[in-house]
Amino acid sequence: MKRVYVNEQWCLGCHLCEYYCAFANSGKSDMVKALKGAAVHPNIRIEEGPGGISFAVACRHCSEPLCVRGCISGALQVRDGVVTIDESKCVGCYTCVASCPYGAVLPGAHGAVQKCELCTQSGGVPACVEHCPNKAIVFEERGDGA
């Protein structure tokens, strides 16, 4: 299955992936109207490590996801290899946030958790990958079985 991977040596730390992710998940057709003056809540985020290394943190869609196993309400499920959220079922206990070993599940803006769902609603390449100016984020299949 294809997943989002980051080549840290190419990441500029520009945070554009965060903005394009937030826009892609906003449900709006105009980026300025969607994000101007709004708090941005992307499903991918840039972390900056020692020595100026930047890297993106996003869901790895694990083959045996601890977040899904720990979800008490059944809001998190695996569909076609993608870990998805049914926000209407999320009770905001944040067990999934605590159980994700990668820090990729986050408290959402409206009580439910949020995480990368590979832009499945658009049916194409995830927005963070498509708009990364340095091509540091890729969407490809690898044999690591995260």
Side-chain angles (χ1 to χ4, degrees):
M1 183 188 118
K2 284 187 171 183
R3 292 186 173 107
V4 171
Y5 296 97
V6 181
N7 296 313
E8 292 87 4
Q9 68 272 20
W10 297 337
C11 181
L12 302 170
C14 67
H15 299 270
L16 281 175
C17 56
E18 295 175 341
Y19 288 98
Y20 277 101
C21 174
F23 172 56
N25 290 289
S26 71
K28 297 182 181 175
S29 60
D30 182 276
M31 188 176 205
V32 174
K33 289 179 182 175
L35 302 180
K36 186 173 182 178
V40 177
H41 297 282
N43 296 334
I44 187 172
R45 68 183 192 286
I46 296 297
E47 297 282 333
E48 295 178 26
I53 295 176
S54 298
F55 55 93
V57 176
C59 180
R60 296 187 184 193
H61 301 280
C62 303
S63 56
E64 295 182 31
L66 296 175
C67 60
V68 173
R69 191 179 317 161
C71 183
I72 64 169
S73 65
L76 288 172
Q77 298 179 356
V78 179
R79 291 195 180 108
D80 298 323
V82 177
V83 178
T84 61
I85 300 170
D86 181 342
E87 291 183 12
S88 68
K89 290 182 179 180
C90 182
V91 296
C93 70
Y94 299 148
T95 303
C96 55
V97 173
S99 64
C100 176
Y102 304 107
V105 183
L106 304 167
H110 305 291
V113 295
Q114 67 180 55
K115 56 168 291 310
C116 172
E117 294 184 10
L118 298 175
C119 290
T120 52
Q121 73 281 6
S122 68
V125 174
C128 60
V129 173
E130 186 176 354
H131 297 285
C132 179
N134 216 33
K135 305 298 181 207
I137 306 173
V138 295
F139 187 52
E140 61 190 27
E141 197 161 332
R142 294 184 182 173
D144 65 2

